[in-house]
């Protein structure tokens, strides 16, 4: 890493790179036809390990204004996520005994999918969302949403207008945030004395076990374990009182945080900590071995795709998620091997995947290829059900993560 780089959590200077994915464009900045002739800006995408606090992080920050002002990802478009957030909202409301006067604030609230999971009138909700187009969608559907970045100033403004929060939530976006320490100070300020902050984020342990290196992109500045999250909250007078894994995005960490000394931690916290130590998540060697597996996957996937090409068999990408841009750009897979990506999200159709410039076509209009490359592998079960007829007609899914495999009709649960 560059000499000047300071760990995003502890400020130390002993951050050592273990996975260099090269210079890559911002993965969510899709290329519109009118910009096709320009080469978009590329930024280093390199992952390192902090020897002082064990945080895994990327060492280059794309300015947030470039990433979040116009953001194509709308969580409500994925059925799996809508159900996940409804279940989580209900569990938290009951678990913490929230009532109609309780304030729930969601940071990075997107189109309001999580807050919409609370039945009307059961709690007071407020979203905070920096992308103006997405915040407008949320307000349009009646989910009260502030269009701004969450930080200490935003926390003060909410306190003044709505009072302290019984529950603050953040899903994923918390880990995109450039002003990490200001955000955590804001959360501490906003939380009622007996309030809880619940954060769901991609779990580094799951990334390691699932070889999910494609979760690395410029928006994800940090990749947390319980241990590195505890290091973060400890700096701000907060502590983790509960922890669990939830089955979303291929395995996410859910951590419950309270004011320090206010509440006894669940025995799950100590058990989780011990399991992480056993698995070597606090050691650089674990991450070096992970990087070796990433490059072995690249070699195997290129052999497979070249074989399809040699046989004149077409491959389309199924969906154009951000993680797909990481995989394609890291492995140098362009339109020669993957002709196009198909999408149903109208905000993406007609554009191209940045860097590799694979065109994104409307799913219904594109026709069917011999095989789909499954970039959104975390929704595989949903796609298996949706594309059963395609698979039964001889279609194939190439699934790169967690292990490279070709899925056929024989893999449909009820095909036998
Ligand atoms: Zn550190």
């Amino acid at each position: 890493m560059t000499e000047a780089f300071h760990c995003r959590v502890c400020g130390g200077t002993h951050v050592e790179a273990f996975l260099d994915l090269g210079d890559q464009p911002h993965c969510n900045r899709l290329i519109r036809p009118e910009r096709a002739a320009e080469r978009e800006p590329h930024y280093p995408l390199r992952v390192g390990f902090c020897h002082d606090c064990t945080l895994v992080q990327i060492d280059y920050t794309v300015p947030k204004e470039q990433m979040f002002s116009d953001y194509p990802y709308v969580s409500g478009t994925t059925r799996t996520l809508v159900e996940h957030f409804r279940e989580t909202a209900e569990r938290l409301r009951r678990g913490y005994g929230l009532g109609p006067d309780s304030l729930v604030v969601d940071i990075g609230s997107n189109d309001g999918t999580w807050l919409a999971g609370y039945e009307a009138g059961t709690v007071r909700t407020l979203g905070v969302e920096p992308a103006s187009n997405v915040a407008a969608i949320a307000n349009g559907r009646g989910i009260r949403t502030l269009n701004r970045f969450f930080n200490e100033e935003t926390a003060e403004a909410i306190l003044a207008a709505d009072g302290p929060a019984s529950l603050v939530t953040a899903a994923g976006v918390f880990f995109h945030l450039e002003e990490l320490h200001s955000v955590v100070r804001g959360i501490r300020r906003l939380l009622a004395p007996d309030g809880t902050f619940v954060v769901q984020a991609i779990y580094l342990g799951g990334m390691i076990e699932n070889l999910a290196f494609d979760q690395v992109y410029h928006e994800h500045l940090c990749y947390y374990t319980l241990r590195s999250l505890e290091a973060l909250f400890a700096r701000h007078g907060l502590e983790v009182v509960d922890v669990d894994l939830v089955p979303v995005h291929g395995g996410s960490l859910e951590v419950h945080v309270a004011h320090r000394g206010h509440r006894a931690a669940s025995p799950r916290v100590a058990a989780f900590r011990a399991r992480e130590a056993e698995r070597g998540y606090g050691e650089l060697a674990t991450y070096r071995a992970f990087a070796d597996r990433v490059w072995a996957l690249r070699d195997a996937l290129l052999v497979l795709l070249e074989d399809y090409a040699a046989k004149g068999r077409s491959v389309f990408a199924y969906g154009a998620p951000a993680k797909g841009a990481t995989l394609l750009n890291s492995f140098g897979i362009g339109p020669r091997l993957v002709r196009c990506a198909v999408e149903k999200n109208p905000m993406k159709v007609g554009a191209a995947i940045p860097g590799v410039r694979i065109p994104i076509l409307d799913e219904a209009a594109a026709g069917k290829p011999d095989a789909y490359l499954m970039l959104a592998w975390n929704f595989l079960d949903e796609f298996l059900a949706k594309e059963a007829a395609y698979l039964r007609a001889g279609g194939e899914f190439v699934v790169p993560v967690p292990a490279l495999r070709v899925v056929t009709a024989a893999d449909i649960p009820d095909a036998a």
Side-chain angles (χ1 to χ4, degrees), residues 118-134:
Y118 296 90
E119 226 173 280
T122 56
V123 293
R124 291 186 294 140
T125 66
L126 179 64
V128 182
E129 170 55 51
S132 54
N133 58 333
V134 179

Side-chain angles (χ1 to χ4, degrees), residues 94-216:
R94 288 168 189 266
Y96 286 111
L98 304 181
D101 292 332
S102 309
L103 177 65
V104 177
V105 175
D106 190 31
I107 300 172
S109 53
N110 208 293
D111 63 348
T113 295
W114 194 342
L115 292 176
Y118 296 90
E119 226 173 280
T122 56
V123 293
R124 291 186 294 140
T125 66
L126 179 64
V128 182
E129 170 55 51
S132 54
N133 58 333
V134 179
I137 293 171
N139 280 310
R141 64 195 280 222
I143 312 286
R144 192 165 62 105
T145 301
L146 299 179
N147 179 212
R148 57 190 287 179
F149 288 96
F150 185 88
N151 50 30
E152 284 175 285
E153 292 72 39
T154 303
E156 292 295 344
I158 295 171
L159 266 178
D162 292 87
S166 305
L167 181 65
V168 177
T169 57
V173 75
F174 176 69
F175 300 82
H176 303 173
L177 300 170
E178 199 178 320
E179 299 170 307
L180 185 60
H181 294 280
S182 173
V183 168
V184 178
R185 285 193 296 267
I187 289 164
R188 185 190 181 193
R189 182 82 182 89
L190 182 57
L191 274 183
D194 61 346
T196 312
F197 172 49
V198 174
V199 59
Q200 288 188 349
I202 292 158
Y203 180 44
L204 177 60
M207 284 175 64
I208 298 299
E209 306 307 328
N210 292 325
L211 195 55
F213 81 100
D214 54 355
Q215 306 277 18
V216 174

Side-chain angles (χ1 to χ4, degrees), residues 245-331:
L245 292 176
V246 291
V248 68
H249 292 309
S252 291
L253 189 63
E254 182 180 291
V255 165
H256 295 223
V257 178
H259 289 286
R260 179 157 52 217
H262 194 93
R263 215 184 295 167
S266 152
R268 277 193 288 268
V269 178
F272 206 97
R273 221 181 267 141
R275 199 184 62 163
E276 286 190 343
E278 252 168 52
R279 294 192 175 181
Y281 296 163
E283 291 155 39
L284 179 61
T286 304
Y287 301 103
R288 290 208 182 283
F290 171 72
D292 290 344
R293 288 163 59 214
V294 170
W295 300 126
L297 169 65
R298 172 192 59 189
D299 295 347
L301 181 59
L302 286 175
V303 166
L304 180 67
L305 292 176
E306 289 289 359
D307 184 58
Y308 277 98
K311 289 173 177 155
R313 304 182 70 213
S314 58
V315 179
F316 295 177
Y318 197 83
K323 63 165 75 70
T326 290
L327 183 141
L328 297 166
N329 281 293
S330 299
F331 291 177

